[in-house]
Amino acid sequence: MAFEKYVKVPGSEREPMAGGTQAGSLDPNEVMQVTLALRPRALGPKQESLDKLVASGKRLSREEYEARYGADPADVQQVERFATAHGLALAQVNLAARTVVLTGRCADFAKAFQVQLARYEYEGGSYRGRAGPVNIPEELNGVVHSVHGLDNRPQAQTHYRVANSAAGPLAAAVSYTALQVAQAYSFPTAVNGQGQTIGIIELGGGFTQSDLQTYFSGLGISPLPTVLAVSVDGAQNQPTGDTSGPDTEVMLDIEVAGAVAPGATIAVYFAPNTDAGFLDAINQAVTDTVNKPSVISISWGGPESSWTAQSLQSYNSALQSASAVGVTVCVAAGDNGSTDGVSDGLDHVNFPASSPYSLACGGTTLDLSNGSITSEVVWNDLPNDGATGGGVSETFPIPSWQANANVPPSDNPGNFKGRGLPDVAGDADPATGFHVQVDGSSFAVGGTSAVAPLWAGLIALFNQSLGAPVGYLNPNLYQSLAEDSGTFRDITSGNNGDYSAGPGWDPCSGWGSPNGATLLQALSKGPTTTTARPTTTPAPTTTARPTTTP
């Protein structure tokens, strides 16, 4: 096969990171790997589309999903022929995730995909980067949906905050254990998550057994939760020993989820912090037929504008796959208010929280007295210790299940009618933070990073109690659960910048914080049948809104 005529991969254009400059060439013999996302196999007779299947509330086993909606082996063979012709090799095939990982020399990848790869430097490090689009042979046009990993810049940020960080990690005014927060939110007490697996995505850092022993024994939890490290793309559980780095994210996620659901197994998927690594971690967790997580927690992300259009689509497809196999994905909504930390004068939301298949988790400031809530408002301590993310997506149109939630149009030029987030909330203010144990130190941590594992633990309790996973919660949440009296504590005070709280759903606290026991009662009634169908294709960027896509 000649592979002479090439076409651009739609939405693959990249620019250097903000502040990044080209700083030289790369070693042509550098070994690297790249992930290709492929199209699903053709639908069989009378087989419904994946959109319709998810919208109907039906669920498939992971094996059934692979057989019906996975990649076609013939497409994989075609990609392998292309790879071989350019001196590249297949390192991994995940038919269920519709991904193929290629490995080979830097020079061969540059030629195969007709890109110029170079070393770029930015404040804090360097990366292998590219500018412009990725190109593929015309024969693979339509077969290959996206290409990830040619560029290995850091893609996502953690969403944890330490109060008054300039004054040191012990400066938080108040700290709660995860058990105290769970009690305040009336989490079910007759279950402990036994039989469930909570998947946690991490893009760096690691955990130590000594920290887990200290933390859980201090809470009186025995035996310790089972915590497994799962390697993705060669990444490992590698604690840095630095509490200001990703170790704090890893330990916060494990400790909050593990305290809430100590009977659950916690599978931590460690992946490189790259566009390819993050996607591969989500896909591996979703399609994992060994650990089989029923709920996934993600506390990493970045502004929608920092992602390529192809990545927004491929990640969204991975999250849709989770919905199809009955996995709930809880995602932190970000810690930088309505701008999401972007300094272009516009509002931004965090991705992958903005995917319609994510349960986006926003943050509050929680005050307790004798175990009871005395006050709860939107978390906003900008410019000091952050504020909850939230607002309106500029990428994903408003899903039909959110049509009656009074989601406002975007405040940005063009007033795009997009998916509103967050969906739910919980304690995130580092000044009312969670007690954690990290690298031998004990201190208080907040951020929406704490809310995603808190909700993941709660979902695990629901799944055990119900005897089946609640799965894709959003349609039921908006069309039934939130309307039941007492299922949520409505947050009506505060703002995250340009968006304010109010009665019912709002774009800084969602439906509010949970009343776990009442939510479980509502869920036990069974899901509400709905034909609501979230949009799976991101809307094209409007010319009215300037974009800053690295």
Side-chain angles (χ1 to χ4, degrees):
M1 191 172 290
F3 300 114
E4 293 179 352
K5 188 173 182 180
Y6 273 68
V7 296
K8 295 178 181 179
V9 176
S12 63
E13 294 81 2
R14 290 217 92 158
E15 297 176 4
M17 286 178 65
T21 57
Q22 189 170 332
S25 59
L26 296 166
D27 177 359
N29 294 315
E30 174 190 340
V31 177
M32 52 185 280
Q33 64 181 39
V34 169
T35 298
L36 277 60
L38 310 183
R39 66 186 176 187
R41 67 180 66 215
L43 295 176
K46 299 182 180 179
Q47 183 179 342
E48 59 191 337
S49 70
L50 185 56
D51 285 0
K52 290 183 178 179
L53 177 118
V54 172
S56 70
K58 297 176 185 176
R59 292 160 188 187
L60 303 176
S61 69
R62 288 172 167 87
E63 293 79 8
E64 288 172 332
Y65 179 84
E66 176 181 330
R68 297 187 194 181
Y69 301 101
D72 190 326
D75 287 344
V76 175
Q77 291 176 356
Q78 192 171 359
V79 170
E80 185 173 21
R81 288 194 293 270
F82 158 72
T84 301
H86 289 88
L88 307 174
L90 258 67
Q92 181 181 331
V93 176
N94 187 334
L95 291 177
R98 302 189 294 273
T99 58
V100 173
V101 177
L102 304 181
T103 186
R105 297 168 60 247
C106 176
D108 293 331
F109 271 111
K111 183 177 180 181
F113 292 96
Q114 295 194 347
V115 294
Q116 288 188 335
L117 300 175
R119 184 170 64 87
Y120 290 80
E121 292 183 347
Y122 64 99
E123 185 178 356
S126 64
Y127 67 95
R128 179 185 68 242
R130 63 177 178 83
V134 175
N135 301 280
I136 56 174
E138 191 173 49
E139 292 87 346
L140 296 181
N141 188 26
V143 175
V144 174
H145 281 179
S146 59
V147 179
H148 309 265
L150 292 166
D151 185 306
N152 70 350
R153 73 186 68 187
Q155 181 60 57
Q157 299 86 44
T158 58
H159 292 322
Y160 76 85
R161 292 295 178 100
V162 178
N164 299 318
S165 54
L170 298 177
V174 178
S175 65
Y176 306 125
T177 68
L179 297 180
Q180 289 173 313
V181 175
Q183 180 183 12
Y185 289 148
S186 301
F187 280 21
T189 56
V191 285
N192 66 359
Q194 186 172 1
Q196 304 301 310
T197 296
I198 300 171
I200 297 178
I201 306 297
E202 300 293 358
L203 306 179
F207 63 87
T208 64
Q209 287 298 325
S210 58
D211 276 334
L212 296 179
Q213 176 70 47
T214 299
Y215 177 81
F216 288 114
S217 63
L219 293 179
I221 294 174
S222 180
L224 269 63
T226 299
V227 182
L228 308 173
V230 182
S231 174
V232 179
D233 294 346
Q236 303 288 337
N237 172 30
Q238 293 181 320
T240 65
D242 181 2
T243 58
S244 65
D247 288 358
T248 296
E249 181 62 73
V250 175
M251 296 305 293
L252 173 67
D253 293 343
I254 295 172
E255 290 172 353
V256 170
V260 170
T265 296
I266 298 176
V268 188
Y269 297 82
F270 287 99
N273 184 9
T274 64
D275 181 32
F278 197 175
L279 176 63
D280 290 343
I282 296 172
N283 274 322
Q284 188 161 329
V286 170
T287 62
D288 189 342
T289 56
V290 176
N291 298 301
K292 299 180 179 179
S294 61
V295 58
I296 295 171
S297 177
I298 301 176
S299 292
W300 298 71
E304 284 182 334
S305 59
S306 68
W307 302 77
T308 61
Q310 66 164 3
S311 293
L312 290 166
Q313 181 57 58
S314 291
Y315 279 64
N316 192 55
S317 294
L319 295 167
Q320 184 189 42
S321 300
S323 301
V325 297
V327 176
T328 312
V329 185
C330 306
V331 187
D335 297 347
N336 290 293
S338 59
T339 69
D340 206 29
V342 181
S343 57
D344 60 1
L346 301 176
D347 287 331
H348 295 266
V349 293
N350 211 263
F351 183 81
S354 67
S355 165
Y357 299 105
S358 293
L359 184 70
C361 301
T364 67
T365 299
L366 179 69
D367 291 317
L368 302 180
S369 178
N370 296 322
S372 298
I373 299 174
T374 57
S375 171
E376 190 168 19
V377 300
V378 174
W379 165 44
N380 187 345
D381 191 28
L382 288 174
N384 300 316
D385 289 327
T388 182
V392 179
S393 172
E394 291 283 335
T395 299
F396 300 99
I398 188 167
S400 56
W401 43 258
Q402 208 175 38
N404 296 322
N406 297 316
V407 178
S410 168
D411 278 346
N412 294 335
N415 304 121
F416 182 64
K417 295 181 179 179
R419 185 263 206 269
L421 63 150
D423 302 301
V424 296
D427 181 30
D429 188 338
T432 61
F434 288 76
H435 174 82
V436 297
Q437 176 77 21
V438 185
D439 295 330
S441 298
S442 176
F443 52 98
V445 179
T448 55
S449 275
V451 189
L454 182 74
W455 268 90
L458 178 60
I459 297 293
L461 299 181
F462 290 163
N463 292 346
Q464 179 192 1
S465 181
L466 296 169
V470 298
Y472 183 33
L473 192 60
N474 293 14
N476 196 20
L477 172 65
Y478 280 81
Q479 299 182 353
S480 175
L481 294 176
E483 297 176 357
D484 280 24
S485 176
T487 50
F488 285 89
R489 179 182 177 85
D490 195 3
I491 310 301
T492 59
S493 178
N495 66 77
N496 70 344
D498 284 344
Y499 295 101
S500 297
W505 182 90
D506 60 67
C508 45
S509 66
W511 289 108
S513 58
N515 182 330
T518 308
L519 259 176
L520 178 57
Q521 290 178 348
L523 283 164
S524 66
K525 300 175 184 177
T528 300
T529 301
T530 174
T531 57
R533 180 166 64 89
T535 303
T536 60
T537 304
T541 301
T542 62
T543 56
R545 181 177 66 87
T547 58
T548 54
T549 303

